[in-house]
Amino acid sequence: MKILVINGPNLNMLGIREPEIYGSSTLQDIYDLLNLEAAGKCELRFFQSNHEGAIVDEIQAAYQKIDGILINPAAYTHTSLAIADAIKSVAIPVVEVHISDIATREEFRQISYIKPFAIAQISGLGIEGYVKGLQILIEHLSK
Ligand code: DQA
């Protein structure tokens, strides 16, 4: 089982970026946590980009190669029909994850273009949300 983990814009700045909202862990800390959870269960591929088109390209490249996608689309969550369409195009099961609780933040963060096409949305659990998302994806793909 192959799972692609996608992180969108500014998530490469975790650890530095607004620690009062996103905590002090880095993206590498998230990768380490996910690798621990994945051990013996699935193969992970990690991808981070600050560019919408690069994320669309990565999703398209996953077609018939990847079984599931765990994605934190970051700010593109609230703006990107292109990423939502790419997810629909490849028809790969997706779990959407957010570190902060987007439902209780600014109004503009409460819309997700991705949510309608995801099997689950996890929000507000900090970096543990990635682990939960991976568990949901593995369970879904094991059915
Ligand atoms: C985020 C929430 C988004 O609103 C924000 O733009 C991000 C991170 C989160 O993980 O909480 O960059 O996706």
Side-chain angles (χ1 to χ4, degrees):
M1 189 190 297
K2 288 187 184 151
I3 293 180
L4 171 63
V5 180
I6 299 178
N7 279 284
N10 301 304
L11 292 170
N12 55 317
M13 295 293 282
L14 286 175
I16 298 168
R17 175 191 185 197
E18 299 175 274
E20 66 286 1
I21 295 175
Y22 299 112
S24 57
S25 300
T26 64
L27 193 55
Q28 186 58 52
D29 293 333
I30 293 171
Y31 292 171
D32 292 346
L33 259 188
L34 287 173
N35 277 326
L36 275 180
E37 185 63 28
K41 297 180 196 143
C42 63
E43 195 182 307
L44 297 180
R45 172 180 159 72
F46 297 109
F47 180 78
Q48 188 278 328
S49 180
N50 296 324
H51 305 276
E52 186 175 22
I55 295 171
V56 170
D57 287 346
E58 186 69 17
I59 294 169
Q60 289 183 3
Y63 180 61
Q64 290 188 333
K65 293 196 182 75
I66 292 285
D67 303 300
I69 297 176
L70 181 63
I71 185 167
N72 184 345
Y76 288 139
T77 307
H78 320 297
T79 63
S80 184
L81 189 52
I83 292 175
D85 279 348
I87 288 169
K88 275 199 287 177
S89 301
V90 296
I92 296 171
V94 163
V95 171
E96 175 188 354
V97 54
H98 300 282
I99 295 168
S100 65
D101 184 4
I102 57 171
T104 58
R105 295 184 63 193
E106 302 96 322
E107 209 176 324
F108 55 79
R109 291 186 204 275
Q110 293 174 20
I111 290 167
S112 168
Y113 281 73
I114 313 303
K115 192 179 175 189
F117 313 111
I119 60 169
Q121 184 198 60
I122 291 145
S123 181
L125 298 184
I127 66 169
E128 283 298 326
Y130 284 85
V131 175
K132 179 111 197 281
L134 182 60
Q135 289 167 345
I136 291 170
L137 208 43
I138 291 172
E139 199 185 314
H140 177 87
L141 294 170
S142 306
K143 276 183 197 156

